[in-house]
Amino acid sequence: MADTHPVAPVTVTVTTTMPRTTQNAARLDRNLQALAAGLAQSLEKAHIVAYPADPSETTPHANGSELALVVDIGTLQTGNAWTRELVGFGTGKSHLQSHVKLYDERGTQLTDLMDFTVKADSGSMPGVIVSAWNPIGFGIHSARAITKEALSDGHEDADRTAQTIVKEMVKYYRANGWLPPEDAGSD
């Protein structure tokens, strides 16, 4: 059943229930920031008015004028790009799992509009060991893996998570008539 309320701006809040350690603090902070900013930008590109929530603001809260998208990072495993490239087939894979809820704050009580979990990872590709008989290939793959690890901004899984969340939001918005149908632009 479609929501009869008119569409409202979306505040994006990214939190974590993960314990912060000295090993994961920097990567966790990068992923929190990248997910909040990237998600707001991606939603805007999909014609959904969104912005990162003010850190001082408690979100979600009743009697507001917006929708609140709350993303809670529950699992973050960094993996190892060198191992992924060398061995492959899922070895050294990174993982990011987030619980996502969309709340309607426009009322005396919060209304839960969407509730889902997103799992993102670096994938499972064959590594260089498949072609270990070729020392030149081994050297090229090793150099590529080291370069990839050095140039990584450390939030590729956050980008994948944002893409999945935007797809779900667009489906929800279209189902509620808040966005035109996909084929409306092709007329």
Side-chain angles (χ1 to χ4, degrees):
M1 187 168 155
D3 189 338
T4 57
H5 284 89
V7 69
V10 177
T11 59
V12 177
T13 303
V14 180
T15 63
T16 184
T17 53
M18 284 185 57
R20 184 177 296 278
T21 65
T22 54
Q23 291 83 13
N24 74 4
R27 187 155 184 117
L28 190 56
D29 289 342
R30 279 195 311 270
N31 277 276
L32 287 167
Q33 292 168 358
L35 192 51
L39 190 51
Q41 288 175 346
S42 296
L43 287 168
E44 286 283 341
K45 287 179 185 173
H47 307 290
I48 297 173
V49 178
Y51 60 91
D54 183 346
S56 65
E57 167 183 339
T58 305
T59 302
H61 55 81
N63 294 319
S65 60
E66 302 166 333
L67 302 180
L69 181 65
V70 179
V71 181
D72 179 37
I73 296 177
T75 305
L76 175 66
Q77 297 171 344
T78 58
N80 185 303
W82 192 82
T83 305
R84 280 193 298 275
E85 288 288 326
L86 182 64
V87 179
F89 302 108
T91 305
K93 183 188 296 190
S94 63
H95 298 276
L96 177 64
Q97 181 172 321
S98 303
H99 188 203
V100 181
K101 282 192 171 192
L102 179 65
Y103 296 97
D104 190 344
E105 299 177 320
R106 302 170 293 175
T108 57
Q109 292 188 338
L110 293 175
T111 305
D112 188 357
L113 301 177
M114 295 177 68
D115 187 342
F116 59 98
T117 299
V118 177
K119 296 177 183 178
D121 62 50
S122 54
S124 300
M125 298 296 290
V128 71
I129 290 191
V130 171
S131 60
W133 58 270
N134 184 347
I136 295 171
F138 180 77
I140 291 170
H141 269 61
S142 297
R144 184 174 147 219
I146 290 167
T147 303
K148 192 182 223 181
E149 186 92 353
L151 295 176
S152 169
D153 56 12
H155 53 75
E156 293 84 4
D157 291 336
D159 296 341
R160 290 182 195 96
T161 298
Q163 290 171 355
T164 302
I165 293 169
V166 169
K167 284 179 189 174
E168 290 298 315
M169 291 279 292
V170 166
K171 278 197 290 189
Y172 181 80
Y173 271 52
R174 284 201 170 113
N176 284 295
W178 294 346
L179 283 177
E182 254 183 300
D183 54 359
S186 61
D187 291 339

